Each structure stands twice: as structure tokens, then as C-alpha cells.
Amino acid sequence: MAANEEIAADAEAVKRHRNLFRAVKRRKNPPLRRTDITVTDEAAVKRAVKAASLGNAMEWFDFGIYSYLAVTIGHVFFPSGNDTVQLVSSFATFAVSFLVRPVGGMVFGPMGDKIGRKKVLALTMIMMAIGTLAIGLIPSYATIGFWAPVLLIFFRLVQGFSTGGEYGGASTFIAEYAPDKRRGFFGSFLEMGTLAGYTGAAGLVLILNSALGSDAMDSWGWRVPFLVAGPLGLVGLYLRLKLDETPAFQKMEDATYHSASEGASAVETTAKGDLAKIFRDHWQTLILCIALVGAYNITDYMLLSYMPTYLSDELGYDDSHGLLILIGTMIVLMLIITQVGKLSDRFGRKPLLMTGMVSFLVLSIPAFLLIKQGSLVAVSAGMLLLGLSLLCLLGTMSATLPALFPTSVRYGSLSVGYNLSASLFGGTAPLVITSLISVTGTDMIPAYYSMAAAVVGVIAVACMKETAQQPLTGSPPSVETKEEAAEMVESQSPSPRF
């Protein structure tokens, strides 16, 4: 009763002192001025998208090589005997690199919030290239025994540590360069880079398998894709070093930006990059990020990393045929992924993400039943069903995740949340699936695992806020033209009264 009387009293006060309350409201939420709004340079945006996407492609080319050579690596680096044990050991080493990814995220993420996105992305590129190149130079188990798997694990840890700063930085980089209304479209190029990296790795392994045969591959052919990583890493590093820092980060760093306009007072101007602050102030969003990424990564690694092994080991497919089908699926996804990004800009992130999660929930069993038929048409159709479901996530997630966090902690928060989830759920997916199939004896485990991930994803998407066409939290609005900026300022001006 007292509360109702207080509300009524406030309403009466507003009526009596309308001008005073209007002034207080404008003081608390001052309108934006033209200088507060970022007008993007289309050429600069395209350069940033190209550098981030190509660099991401290089990273995932390096990472994909290991997935597609898992069987061969098991033979080369682990004691001979049971093929299943060798494969599980190989995937365990694959998973080990994910254990250190959160550490990389905790180091590189806050560093990116302090010294800038560009420098950290260059550093992660150097480390990934070194780690991958070194794996290609390690002697086999037959040559140096115990030290072979030890060195393999060490350089996988180097790869995982560097990857901890990659996705969070690359997605932040593109999101902060892109105009608000096209963030989904430009963000989708990052995942096109991921697909291109995986496709390049799968294609190279396929060519080598076909040209050399299993004996030569086990002897020396497996080294070639890893050795190619060195020159590719230099290309990615060159592209990233040529870029300027993101406009959002530059404005956050610029002390004069804060004093230039009261309209920008809500924009955060310090880059503390404090891990304690991330866990203390953003823990709820961090949990949401982990849930979204967990559902996304399980389905992603299940399809793009594990499926060739599943086709060869569980269904008896030739290694080359399995890779060829996956390459065809990924090429189809690459051709249409940017259209999914456009759809997310138009209809919102949540509808696209929910479509992908529900599709995995409903279509995983039919897709794997098709794949188990064994014919080329049936396997391709099943893979395409899974691929199109994944595409709704791939084309949308890179614009969704950076928008969850404010500018001052975006790189750090996203790197921590993404890599914790990837470590727990993504990188372990091939190992868990292989182990569960071995224990249960059913080859439908990948379908059930994807469905469980999708349930978590549906809940997470239902809990998140829509961010399409909105400015990034802690950053000023970003538009494509001066006219659009002028319209935005004019729309906040009070209507004239006569």
C-alpha cells in the first residue's frame, strides 16, 4: 500500500515539475552526438574481416590436420598392439590440447583487453605455427620410444595454449569493426575461415593418402601437412600485422573520447582486463556463454573432426572416401554460410540459433540412420542434414558471443568462457564418443550425444537476449554512412512544440 502511494506521489511530482524531471532524465541518459557514433570505413572493415578470417583458417588448418590424421598418428606415436587403444590414445592427445585452452584464454584474453586485439592475435598465430611445425619434426615411437608421445603432447599443449586466444580475439576483432546492422554477415566470414581451414586440411590429407598409400603415410607422408603450417603461419601473421586496432578499442583507450561528449559517458574507457572482475561481475553471462559454446562445440567437433574416423572405424569406409564426403559437405556449407549471417541480421540471432539446436535434437537420429545405410547417397544425405543444422550455429555464433560482454572485458570474458566450454565439451567429444561406442557397443552414440548437447543449447538460447542490430555493450553505435549517423542523432532530438 505504501509502495503504491509512493509511486502515485512520484507521478504527481513528475506532472508538477515536468521540465525538471525531463532535465534529470537527459542528464542521466544524455543523447548521442554525431561524434559519438562510429562511421565504419567499408574498405577497412573488409580488410579486418579478411585478415581475421584467413588467420582463423590458418589456425584451424593446423588444428584440423591432427583430427584427420588421428589414426596415422596413433600408429606413429604410440606402441603397436590394439588399434582401438592407439586411436583412443591419439584422441586423448587431441583432447589434452583443449585442457590448456582455458589457461591460454585467461592469459591472452585479458592481455587483448589491455594492449589491444591486433598484437595478441599476431602472437597466437606465431605460437600455433611453431607448435604445428614442430609436430611435423618429431621422430616416431619406433625411433625414440617414450619421448615421441611426450613431445607430441608438449607441442599439442603449445597449440592449445595459442588457440585459447584465437577465437575470442578474432570474433571480437570482426564484431568491433563491423557496423551494427551487418555484424552477423561479417561475422559469418570468420566461420567460413574455420570451414576453409578444415577443408584445406582434409583436402591435403586426402591427396596424400591417395598419392602415397598407407605405408608411405605412416613412414613420412603424415609429416607434410604439419610442415606446410610454417609458411602458412607467416602469411597469416603478415595479414594481421598490417591491420589497425579496432575502432571500439581505440575509442575506449582514447581518454579524450570520454570528455569530448556527455553522450559517450556510458561508454567504458578503461581496459582493466581483470580476471577477478570477469568472474565477479559477469559470471551469469559467462555461464550462458559456456552453455551456448558447449552445445555448439559438441556438434561442431562431432561433425567436422570426428566423422571421418567414425566412417572409417565404425562403418568400414575407406579413409579417403570418408574425407571426400566431409569435404563435399563443408564446401556446401561454405557456399551458403554468409546467407545465414544475413538472415541473423534480418530476423535476429535467437531464431537462427534455436533452429540449429532444435534441428540437432530432431534430426540427429534420422541423419545417423541414413549414414549407417552405407551407400554414398545415404551417407551424403545424412552428413548434409547434420551440416545444415550446424550451419545455423556456425553462421550466427561469431556475431552472438562478442555481443554478450562489454568492450572493456570482451576479449577476456569471451576467451575464458569459450575455452572453458571448448575444453570441457568440444575437444573431448571425439574421445568421449569413441570410448562410449567401445563400452556400449552401439554406433548411435554420436546421435545421442548431439541430442543431449542440443537440449542444453535450446535452454541457453531461450535465456539469452537478442542482440541483432544493436550496438555492442560498452561501445558507441556503429553505422555504415554519415547519413545514417545523422538520422540516428536526429531521431533522439525532442519534437518541436508550437
Side-chain angles (χ1 to χ4, degrees), residues 170-486:
S171 58
T172 293
F173 201 82
I174 291 179
E176 290 182 349
Y177 254 106
D180 296 332
K181 292 184 178 179
R182 300 184 70 195
R183 190 172 297 118
F185 171 68
F186 286 117
S188 64
F189 281 92
L190 183 67
E191 296 297 355
M192 182 187 283
T194 301
L195 289 171
Y198 273 126
T199 302
L204 182 54
V205 171
L206 175 64
I207 291 170
L208 290 171
N209 274 332
S210 302
L212 300 178
S214 59
D215 290 340
M217 280 297 289
D218 285 355
S219 175
W220 60 270
W222 66 271
R223 298 182 185 276
V224 175
F226 290 99
L227 298 177
V228 168
L232 288 180
L234 291 176
V235 172
L237 178 63
Y238 172 76
L239 290 171
R240 288 186 171 179
L241 288 176
K242 289 198 64 158
L243 289 173
D244 293 326
E245 193 51 80
T246 69
F249 184 82
Q250 286 178 341
K251 286 194 172 184
M252 185 184 67
E253 273 204 316
D254 188 358
T256 60
Y257 176 72
H258 183 67
S259 58
S261 165
E262 290 180 349
S265 62
V267 179
E268 299 175 51
T269 57
T270 59
K272 295 180 180 178
D274 183 3
L275 279 175
K277 178 181 177 182
I278 291 171
F279 285 105
R280 182 182 65 247
D281 298 343
H282 304 282
W283 64 270
Q284 291 174 309
T285 312
L286 208 58
I287 291 173
L288 177 62
C289 177
I290 289 171
L292 284 170
V293 173
Y296 159 56
N297 266 346
I298 284 174
T299 53
D300 186 9
Y301 284 102
M302 182 274 295
L303 179 62
L304 301 185
S305 295
Y306 174 70
M307 281 308 293
T309 302
Y310 177 81
L311 291 174
S312 61
D313 275 32
E314 304 302 329
L315 303 185
Y317 250 70
D318 181 84
D319 289 345
S320 298
H321 290 164
L323 276 177
L324 197 56
I325 293 171
L326 180 61
I327 290 170
T329 303
M330 290 193 292
I331 289 173
V332 171
L333 301 189
M334 287 172 64
L335 291 174
I336 56 179
I337 191 169
T338 56
Q339 300 307 310
V340 175
K342 285 183 178 179
L343 288 175
S344 78
D345 284 328
R346 182 176 179 183
F347 298 109
R349 318 292 186 224
K350 291 185 69 170
L352 270 294
L353 291 174
M354 189 62 79
T355 300
M357 299 298 182
V358 172
S359 295
F360 270 111
L361 191 59
V362 174
L363 297 178
S364 288
I365 289 178
F368 273 92
L369 289 175
L370 275 172
I371 291 170
K372 285 178 62 178
Q373 295 297 313
S375 70
L376 179 62
V377 173
V379 173
S380 300
M383 293 279 281
L384 197 57
L385 278 178
L386 295 171
L388 293 175
S389 301
L390 179 62
L391 193 65
C392 295
L393 310 181
L394 280 174
T396 311
M397 199 65 77
S398 53
T400 301
L401 297 176
L404 295 176
F405 302 101
T407 304
S408 62
V409 295
R410 180 170 297 123
Y411 195 157
S413 300
L414 181 51
S415 294
V416 170
Y418 187 92
N419 289 294
L420 276 173
S421 189
S423 174
L424 292 171
F425 307 112
T428 58
L431 174 63
V432 171
I433 292 171
T434 303
S435 301
L436 287 176
I437 290 175
S438 178
V439 170
T440 63
T442 173
D443 52 14
M444 289 296 288
I445 288 294
Y448 304 145
Y449 202 50
S450 299
M451 292 169 68
V455 171
V456 175
V458 166
I459 296 170
V461 174
C463 292
M464 64 172 274
K465 293 179 181 178
E466 183 56 72
T467 58
Q469 301 198 22
Q470 301 295 319
L472 292 169
T473 306
S475 294
S478 179
V479 298
E480 291 186 86
T481 64
K482 293 180 180 179
E483 291 75 18
E484 193 177 347

Side-chain angles (χ1 to χ4, degrees), residues 18-302:
R18 195 176 300 277
N19 290 337
L20 176 61
F21 276 91
R22 185 182 294 118
V24 170
K25 183 178 179 181
R26 288 175 66 83
R27 181 73 177 176
K28 288 182 178 178
N29 301 289
L32 288 165
R33 297 180 183 179
R34 169 61 189 84
T35 52
D36 301 330
I37 301 170
T38 300
V39 178
T40 59
D41 178 353
E42 186 174 357
V45 173
K46 288 180 178 178
R47 284 197 304 272
V49 170
K50 180 172 71 173
S53 301
L54 287 177
N56 199 50
M58 308 295 181
E59 291 261 358
W60 291 108
F61 172 85
D62 295 352
F63 225 74
I65 288 168
Y66 190 96
S67 304
Y68 303 134
L69 288 172
V71 175
T72 302
I73 286 172
H75 295 158
V76 173
F77 285 100
F78 297 97
S80 59
N82 190 310
D83 287 344
T84 301
V85 172
Q86 284 188 333
L87 182 61
V88 169
S89 299
S90 180
F91 276 135
T93 308
F94 179 83
V96 158
S97 69
F98 282 81
L99 297 179
V100 79
R101 279 181 64 166
V103 180
M106 290 178 189
V107 172
F108 289 124
M111 190 188 298
D113 287 327
K114 287 180 180 179
I115 68 174
R117 287 66 164 118
K118 169 186 168 180
K119 295 175 183 176
V120 176
L121 284 173
L123 182 57
T124 62
M125 177 63 67
I126 293 170
M127 289 188 66
M128 175 59 85
I130 290 173
T132 309
L133 183 65
I135 290 175
L137 299 173
I138 300 173
S140 67
Y141 183 87
T143 304
I144 60 171
F146 167 77
W147 289 106
V150 169
L151 289 172
L152 176 65
I153 290 171
F154 174 76
F155 288 113
R156 285 294 293 166
L157 291 175
V158 171
Q159 284 185 317
F161 188 75
S162 72
T163 307
E166 173 60 26
Y167 184 88
S171 58
T172 293
F173 201 82
I174 291 179
E176 290 182 349
Y177 254 106
D180 296 332
K181 292 184 178 179
R182 300 184 70 195
R183 190 172 297 118
F185 171 68
F186 286 117
S188 64
F189 281 92
L190 183 67
E191 296 297 355
M192 182 187 283
T194 301
L195 289 171
Y198 273 126
T199 302
L204 182 54
V205 171
L206 175 64
I207 291 170
L208 290 171
N209 274 332
S210 302
L212 300 178
S214 59
D215 290 340
M217 280 297 289
D218 285 355
S219 175
W220 60 270
W222 66 271
R223 298 182 185 276
V224 175
F226 290 99
L227 298 177
V228 168
L232 288 180
L234 291 176
V235 172
L237 178 63
Y238 172 76
L239 290 171
R240 288 186 171 179
L241 288 176
K242 289 198 64 158
L243 289 173
D244 293 326
E245 193 51 80
T246 69
F249 184 82
Q250 286 178 341
K251 286 194 172 184
M252 185 184 67
E253 273 204 316
D254 188 358
T256 60
Y257 176 72
H258 183 67
S259 58
S261 165
E262 290 180 349
S265 62
V267 179
E268 299 175 51
T269 57
T270 59
K272 295 180 180 178
D274 183 3
L275 279 175
K277 178 181 177 182
I278 291 171
F279 285 105
R280 182 182 65 247
D281 298 343
H282 304 282
W283 64 270
Q284 291 174 309
T285 312
L286 208 58
I287 291 173
L288 177 62
C289 177
I290 289 171
L292 284 170
V293 173
Y296 159 56
N297 266 346
I298 284 174
T299 53
D300 186 9
Y301 284 102
M302 182 274 295

